[in-house]
Amino acid sequence: MKSYGKYIVEVENLTKKFGDFVAVDNISFNVKKGEIFGFLGANGAGKTTAMKMLTGLLSPSSGNAIVAGWDVEKNPEKVKLNIGYMSQKFSLYDDLRVSENIRLYAGIYKIPGKEIKIKINTLLEELGMQDLRKKLVGDLPLGWKQKLAFAVAMVHDPPVVFLDEPTSGVDPITRRQFWEMIYKASADGTTLFVTTHYLDEAEYCTRTSIMVDGEIKALDTPENLKQQFEVDNMQDVFVKLARGL
């Protein structure tokens, strides 16, 4: 794995245009090791496009981004191998068993064969899914699927994991359990880059950025943002920014 400096994610003047439409407009920010970095914005604000650039799925029109020590434009495949990614829509294979999904992704991330069995057993034990190893993923409840997808995204111990609305559609108890997993990963030194449409979850992040019309309009700790906008919660911060107040 390539070495990196103080920041796991470094973004400078990153821009993405589709014809005359500017989806991401000259954004800049850095993310430190172990941070839980919240990336918020309404539908169409540009956050998904930005995340696709940072994960090597989309080339920027201009600007620079370094993720886990790799340039996202020059080395997108290296970026993909050195990050974890959990998409908004469930990304595992329903017609494979739980253990088979873990084995598949461990192979994709080039984990040596002799270590894969150990990885499978470790992840299943941590998730409390030892008795479900032979169960088809398609037969699992959504909450279990999401927790498994998160674990698989971290199977190769990446320094940074991108989570695109990871708790969408799950019940409140599962949401809480999922955030406990995020906190544990952060405490272990992993950086979590999280998009969410649950604004109360912004309160759980180390720092939060809010995008409006392709631009980052605010970036700070949740507590500082609430003080800056003189409100009691992140919902009201978001509303003020969206309305241009």
Side-chain angles (χ1 to χ4, degrees), residues 22-108:
V22 182
V24 176
D25 189 2
N26 202 44
I27 63 172
S28 299
F29 61 90
N30 297 317
V31 183
K32 296 179 181 179
K33 179 180 179 180
E35 273 197 293
I36 303 173
F37 188 82
F39 203 58
L40 276 64
N43 290 337
K47 63 182 188 299
T48 298
T49 300
M51 180 177 278
K52 285 183 177 180
M53 288 190 284
L54 296 179
T55 54
L57 297 174
L58 193 63
S59 295
S61 299
S62 62
N64 301 290
I66 306 294
V67 176
W70 296 98
D71 187 298
V72 299
E73 184 173 20
K74 296 177 181 178
N75 301 104
E77 296 306 314
K78 291 290 188 181
V79 170
K80 293 173 190 175
L81 283 174
N82 288 280
I83 63 170
Y85 177 67
M86 179 180 166
S87 65
Q88 181 178 354
K89 295 182 179 179
F90 187 64
S91 56
L92 300 184
Y93 290 89
D94 284 348
D95 55 349
L96 292 181
R97 303 181 191 279
V98 169
S99 60
E100 291 171 338
N101 266 283
I102 300 173
R103 183 180 300 277
L104 172 64
Y105 280 90
I108 289 173

Side-chain angles (χ1 to χ4, degrees), residues 23 37 41 50 69 84 99 127 137 142 154 167 191 213 218 226:
F37 188 82
S99 60
L127 292 170
V137 165
L142 178 60
M154 297 186 59
T167 58
T191 302
D213 296 331
K226 288 184 288 185

Side-chain angles (χ1 to χ4, degrees), residues 99-170:
S99 60
E100 291 171 338
N101 266 283
I102 300 173
R103 183 180 300 277
L104 172 64
Y105 280 90
I108 289 173
Y109 285 119
K110 300 183 179 181
I111 294 175
K114 62 183 179 181
E115 296 179 17
I116 291 179
K117 185 177 181 179
I118 297 173
K119 279 285 184 181
I120 292 173
N121 292 333
T122 299
L123 287 182
L124 292 178
E125 183 177 353
E126 290 177 351
L127 292 170
M129 297 177 69
Q130 299 97 318
D131 296 337
L132 300 175
R133 67 168 56 233
K134 294 184 179 180
K135 194 174 185 67
L136 291 175
V137 165
D139 294 334
L140 295 176
L142 178 60
W144 280 109
K145 287 183 179 182
Q146 296 294 77
K147 287 187 281 189
L148 178 61
F150 180 47
V152 168
M154 297 186 59
V155 71
H156 55 307
D157 300 319
V160 56
V161 178
F162 291 83
L163 306 172
D164 191 4
E165 299 193 4
T167 58
S168 179
V170 302

